[in-house]
């Protein structure tokens, strides 16, 4: 007997608002207070998620997170996931200023809650014998920047030069002879960015090749790069050497 495999739900606006409403119920914050904080109304708050064609702006999502008492780290996670889905959306309507139109026409941002903070848009289909087909590559993933270099026998230290995105997968893009750095994309450790695919390029390391400490466990060497979508929609590459170790290895993304 063929049993229908349990399907992993696709990341949708319905999932996001379902999670948000569950969080609202658990918080105990009155709907009237949330509506006031978001400069909205009670009915519109209850209607969140019922219509999913327009994306709200980040300011509104921030107000909702704040109204539920989320701390800065939680707000950053929710907003990063929102921007991730927004960045890879292939059918995104024009944005509107959230304070100038009725919430009844609300759009939504989709989120997948996961310990690794990875945003997955899964394409899962079923064959005729009711078995589940393999999941497609992730459409996007949130990765954390680790702009650190090896120091001493067992330490990492923040690099004095910020990490940045480049238009090519080559080293030293800030150098005049290469001129492939994307201006205004400087990042320090802890920054969260959205990767949409993986590539190979120049091999980078996070240590001095003549270092007297060859056994430092934090040493990293790789020719892997992520293609990242910046909030202003520009795209550029970031070496995975400057990504948190837990987020190296491609993150299940497609090849660029």
């Amino acid at each position: 007997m063929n049993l229908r495999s349990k399907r992993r739900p696709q990341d949708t606006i319905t999932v996001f608002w379902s999670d948000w409403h569950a969080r609202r119920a658990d918080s105990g914050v009155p709907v009237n207070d949330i509506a006031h904080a978001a400069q909205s109304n009670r009915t519109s708050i209850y209607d969140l998620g019922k219509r999913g064609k327009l994306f709200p702006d980040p300011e509104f999502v921030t107000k909702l997170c704040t109204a539920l008492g989320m701390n800065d780290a939680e707000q950053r996670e929710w907003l990063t996931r929102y921007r991730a889905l927004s960045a890879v959306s292939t059918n995104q309507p024009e944005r509107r200023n959230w304070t100038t139109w009725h919430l009844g026409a609300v759009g939504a941002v989709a989120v997948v809650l996961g310990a690794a903070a990875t945003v997955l848009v899964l394409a899962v289909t079923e064959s005729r014998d009711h078995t589940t087909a393999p999941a497609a590559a992730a459409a996007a993933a949130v990765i954390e920047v680790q702009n650190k270099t090896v120091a001493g026998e067992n330490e990492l230290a923040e690099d004095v030069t910020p990490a940045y995105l480049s238009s090519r997968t080559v080293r030293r893009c800030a150098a005049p002879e290469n001129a492939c750095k994307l201006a205004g994309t400087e990042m320090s450790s802890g920054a969260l960015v959205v990767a949409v695919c993986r590539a190979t390029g120049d091999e980078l390391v996070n240590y001095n090749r003549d270092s007297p400490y060859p056994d430092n466990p934090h040493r990293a060497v790789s020719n892997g790069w992520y293609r990242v979508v910046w909030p202003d929609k520009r795209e550029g590459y970031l070496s995975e050497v400057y990504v948190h170790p837990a987020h190296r290895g491609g993150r299940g993304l497609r090849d660029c």
Side-chain angles (χ1 to χ4, degrees), residues 187-216:
M187 296 167 286
S188 300
S189 295
L192 297 177
V193 293
V194 179
V196 293
C197 61
R198 61 187 182 182
T200 56
D202 284 359
E203 182 180 271
L204 268 66
V205 299
N206 67 345
Y207 56 88
N208 293 326
R209 294 186 183 273
D210 59 353
S211 170
Y213 304 105
D215 298 324
N216 186 307

Side-chain angles (χ1 to χ4, degrees), residues 146-159 205-209 211-221 241-242 248:
Q146 180 177 279
N147 186 45
K148 296 183 178 183
T149 56
V150 166
E153 295 182 0
N154 190 34
E155 297 178 1
L156 276 173
E158 187 72 15
D159 197 326
V205 299
N206 67 345
Y207 56 88
N208 293 326
R209 294 186 183 273
S211 170
Y213 304 105
D215 298 324
N216 186 307
H218 302 295
R219 288 164 65 107
V221 53
V241 164
Y242 296 110
R248 294 171 186 158

Side-chain angles (χ1 to χ4, degrees), residues 5 10-11 43 62 66 90 113 136 140 151 203 206 209 211 233:
S5 300
Q10 197 173 17
D11 181 15
T43 299
T62 299
T66 302
T90 58
L113 297 179
E203 182 180 271
N206 67 345
R209 294 186 183 273
S211 170
K233 303 300 182 181

Side-chain angles (χ1 to χ4, degrees), residues 3 49 52 61 72 112 148 163 174-175 177 184 187 204 206 247:
L3 298 177
V61 178
D72 290 344
V112 168
K148 296 183 178 183
E177 61 269 24
M187 296 167 286
L204 268 66
N206 67 345
H247 293 171

Side-chain angles (χ1 to χ4, degrees), residues 19-31 34 45-46 68:
D19 289 336
W20 185 85
H21 283 297
R23 179 66 177 265
R24 173 183 61 78
D26 291 341
S27 72
V29 179
V31 174
I34 297 173
I45 296 299
Y46 279 123
L68 294 187

Side-chain angles (χ1 to χ4, degrees), residues 143-148 158-166 181-195 225-231 236-239 242-243:
I143 58 176
E144 181 179 344
V145 174
Q146 180 177 279
N147 186 45
K148 296 183 178 183
E158 187 72 15
D159 197 326
V160 295
T161 302
Y164 55 82
L165 301 184
S166 59
K181 173 185 175 181
L182 297 187
T185 61
E186 294 81 4
M187 296 167 286
S188 300
S189 295
L192 297 177
V193 293
V194 179
W225 295 70
Y226 287 111
R227 188 168 181 86
V228 169
V229 179
W230 201 247
Y237 293 99
L238 175 67
S239 169
Y242 296 110
V243 170

Side-chain angles (χ1 to χ4, degrees), residues 13 50-56 91-94 101 105-108:
I13 58 173
K50 293 183 179 179
R51 304 174 187 178
K53 297 182 179 180
L54 293 174
F55 287 90
N91 185 27
Q92 181 174 329
E94 179 182 359
W101 61 296
V106 66

